[in-house]
Amino acid sequence: MQHSSTILMTEFVTHDVKRFILTKPRNFEYEPGQGVKMVIDEPKWRDEESQPFTPTSLTDDKILEFIIKRYPARKGVTDKLHRLEVGARLLLSDVFGTITYKGPGTFIAAGAGVTPFIAITRQLARKGKLGSNSLFYSNKTPADVICEKELRHYFGSRCIMTCTQESGPGFENRRITANFLKEKIHDFKQRFYVCGPDSFVADIKSILKELGASPDSVVFEE
């Protein structure tokens, strides 16, 4: 691990997702959408397998922000991170990743997979370049949606949120399927950005290919 960082504050974003504000290591640079691997700087945890997370802060911010979902059943890093207090130290790798902004298109996310797109969206909004980009965002229930108000503010009517188990006002109650995409998208020659659980990414990539999208136009974490 190349960089050391300290937790400055944490707060809940949803019932099982927390925002972490960290000190920003010197000479730490990244492109919105890229990730880092993180371990907890404690004797018991330093040798644990590092986990990838995506900074959601702007690149010129003086701090780092991460939005991290807790998976208690795994009894691993995310569970421990959610129990850390201010002042705890973390170790970060250099940045990596293939998800970066390559031009206007449609972002398709599930669950915590939206985090790379939060960083990209914030950066584009600051520069006034969000343009005609769209977001399709799937979760189990409205309570699971990360940064709902912020994303709706940025994308407006181009933000379509859907829930697969329990829906509510402003949400569709369906999965992102081939029929869903054919109904919502009229041009499959555009660029697509896909992030979420591995099975979700694989399914969406396959559907997009079937609907005429070029494999070269689909951006995902390889």
Side-chain angles (χ1 to χ4, degrees):
M1 292 295 171
Q2 303 296 317
H3 309 280
S4 178
S5 183
T6 302
I7 296 177
L8 298 175
M9 67 163 283
T10 68
E11 63 179 0
F12 279 100
V13 177
T14 74
H15 61 99
D16 62 356
V17 176
K18 264 189 172 183
R19 172 182 288 112
F20 291 79
I21 303 298
L22 313 180
T23 58
K24 187 175 184 179
R26 183 176 298 179
N27 300 322
F28 185 87
E29 297 181 358
Y30 60 96
E31 288 294 320
Q34 289 186 311
V36 300
K37 290 189 174 181
M38 180 187 298
V39 296
I40 298 165
D41 192 7
E42 294 181 7
K44 177 184 175 182
W45 291 91
R46 288 190 198 108
D47 295 329
E48 290 289 315
E49 183 177 356
S50 59
Q51 297 294 316
F53 301 103
T54 306
T56 48
S57 43
L58 295 169
T59 54
D60 57 355
D61 284 347
K62 302 301 183 183
I63 51 83
L64 286 177
E65 179 193 72
F66 290 86
I67 296 176
I68 298 175
K69 182 174 181 177
R70 180 188 181 209
Y71 298 93
R74 301 177 187 176
K75 300 187 184 301
V77 172
T78 63
D79 186 51
K80 174 64 173 177
L81 280 169
H82 269 236
R83 292 186 281 116
L84 291 177
E85 297 180 353
V86 170
R89 299 188 66 80
L90 304 172
L91 299 175
L92 311 177
S93 71
D94 285 332
V95 298
F96 66 90
T98 54
I99 296 181
T100 57
Y101 188 67
K102 296 176 172 61
T106 296
F107 297 92
I108 305 175
V114 78
T115 53
F117 304 154
I118 291 174
I120 293 171
T121 299
R122 288 173 173 173
Q123 197 81 359
L124 290 174
R126 171 176 282 191
K127 294 181 177 180
K129 296 182 178 181
L130 195 53
S132 59
N133 289 285
S134 300
L135 171 68
F136 299 158
Y137 186 20
S138 176
N139 283 276
K140 292 179 180 178
T141 75
D144 297 311
V145 179
I146 297 171
C147 297
E148 177 189 352
K149 291 181 180 179
E150 181 180 6
L151 293 171
R152 289 191 188 277
H153 168 73
Y154 286 139
F155 288 98
S157 62
R158 301 187 307 280
C159 177
I160 298 175
M161 296 190 179
T162 185
C163 294
T164 59
Q165 292 184 3
E166 173 190 324
S167 192
F171 293 88
E172 299 201 18
N173 187 198
R174 55 197 292 203
R175 296 183 179 277
I176 299 179
T177 62
N179 286 336
F180 178 101
L181 293 177
K182 282 192 293 185
E183 178 184 318
K184 306 295 184 185
I185 298 173
H186 304 293
D187 175 19
F188 284 93
K189 301 303 181 184
Q190 65 178 291
R191 195 174 302 280
F192 295 93
Y193 301 84
V194 184
C195 193
D198 291 344
S199 58
F200 175 85
V201 173
D203 287 346
I204 298 300
K205 285 169 55 185
S206 177
I207 290 170
L208 289 172
K209 183 178 179 180
E210 292 174 5
L211 295 177
S214 166
D216 293 338
S217 70
V218 182
V219 179
F220 62 98
E221 190 56 63
E222 299 182 26

